[in-house]
Amino acid sequence: MTNMDTPSIAQPLRGLSLFWRTFILLSALMLCSTLVWLLMFRTQEYEPRVLRNAHQIATVVNLTRNALIHTDSIARISLLKTLADEEDVRLTVREPDDQVRPFGESALEIRLAQTLIERLGPETLVASSVNGTHGLWVGFQIEHDSYWLQMDPQRMRPLSNASWIVWLALAVLLSLMGALAITARINRPLKQLSLAASRVREGRYHDTALDEDANTPEIREVNVGFNRMAERLANVEDERKLMLAGISHDLRTPLARLRLETELSVPDADAQRAMAADIDQLDDIIDKFLGYARPDHTELEAVLLAPVISKCITPFTSASRMDIQVHVPEDLQVMADAVELGRVVSNLLENARRYGQSAQDGISHVEIDAQVHNKRVLLRIRDQGTGVPEEQLSHLTQPFYRGDSARTSAIGSGLGLAIVERAIGRMGGQFRVFNHAQGGLMAVIDLKEGQ
């Protein structure tokens, strides 16, 4: 039964942040402790104390009655005056037509009245008002005479329910304030750690320094370890950038010399063109590797989409076997990095040029359009080629993937669509590729609309 009940108890807290879960649990703990303490105080301390007061009042009544019995009339007047001045006790004669209001509005007051009657005798009366005068009235008899003894009612009247509610509300308020303060103090270093982790994820390694002088040893150790990790990642990133720059320089320099030597040493023009094409392909593969290994962090800004696309299609307009149709509003903006977005569009156009030839005329017909939907811009690039087998669609964005079809078996790095997906992810967007219902491959880029 315990294992079955546990999920149902934890279910209401699911989905809440750590701050609110800690706050709720601490509040519940403090409220339960306060309620238990109030209950113990009322049963073990407050009620017995009130009942003891009832016994003391009964003693005062008995002493007063005995003093009246054994005092002559002259001394009795002096005694009554002393009781009124020093003990706040007033004695009056009880008349048969007195208007009496019984004492006892709550269960505890009824118990107090019964305690007095038990101590003073069954003929005793306990009232809260006599002839419209409020107080603690105790009626008793001396031989054939009846008297009222009036005292301050606060001597025996317990706290009212309204008073208990006020105290309980104050305890609840203080408990909630205490839980809030404790939760905020506990959650603060965790919140700072979460923000620092977000900066590391974005590649901002030098903006992640946490307090290494925290008072709590556990928090201090976590902060020191996180700072050392961020510094290590920053060093790795710097080394990667340096290595990529070195690779780019060291590979392209011999490729340039090789191109020059080929043009000078090979007399056959066709052989020269073939060797130059191979060198261009090597250079393109190097570009793909460097593009895929770029840092993950990208600074975004509002970019006009139409000029970026116009710049990207310029190298392809001179191609005799490629036709590009663009339907993009001139004022449409997206949140992106202009250079990264240009690389993405160029990669997709190059992919369409190589593999998107129409079966009818052998020309790569490409359609580019963009629409706004729910403050998101959908940029669609479609060719009219043969498409891709359905079982290979999910693998197209995997690095170095090549399928068996004509579209994916061409010579290349296998990084084109992988670079596109990574670049779109760095800009906070989504990339999808699928076969269009009317033929060809459709690539969809989903980016936030620029402000």
Side-chain angles (χ1 to χ4, degrees), residues 398-448:
Q398 294 179 2
F400 312 112
Y401 175 79
R402 295 186 180 92
D404 296 331
S405 66
R407 188 179 188 101
T408 57
S409 61
I411 297 174
S413 64
L415 285 172
L417 294 182
I419 292 174
V420 170
E421 185 178 53
R422 280 176 63 93
I424 295 300
R426 288 195 293 265
M427 292 184 287
Q430 295 179 347
F431 174 71
R432 293 181 295 123
V433 59
F434 54 89
N435 289 317
H436 195 271
Q438 297 179 0
L441 197 68
M442 170 78 84
V444 178
I445 298 172
D446 182 350
L447 292 172
K448 184 179 179 181

Side-chain angles (χ1 to χ4, degrees), residues 135 146 185 199 274 308 348 420 446:
S146 298
R185 188 172 182 83
R199 297 190 189 100
V308 174
L348 294 176
V420 170
D446 182 350

Side-chain angles (χ1 to χ4, degrees), residues 55 104 122 126 145 165 174 181 189 191 232 252 294 299 310 348-349 356-357 360-361 363 390-391 394:
H55 288 281
V126 182
D145 298 325
I165 293 175
L174 293 177
K191 186 67 173 179
R232 176 60 178 165
R252 280 177 171 158
R294 281 188 176 89
E299 296 292 340
S310 177
L348 294 176
L349 290 175
Q357 296 88 353
Q360 284 76 19
D361 55 12
I363 297 176
E390 293 294 332
E391 64 272 11
S394 60

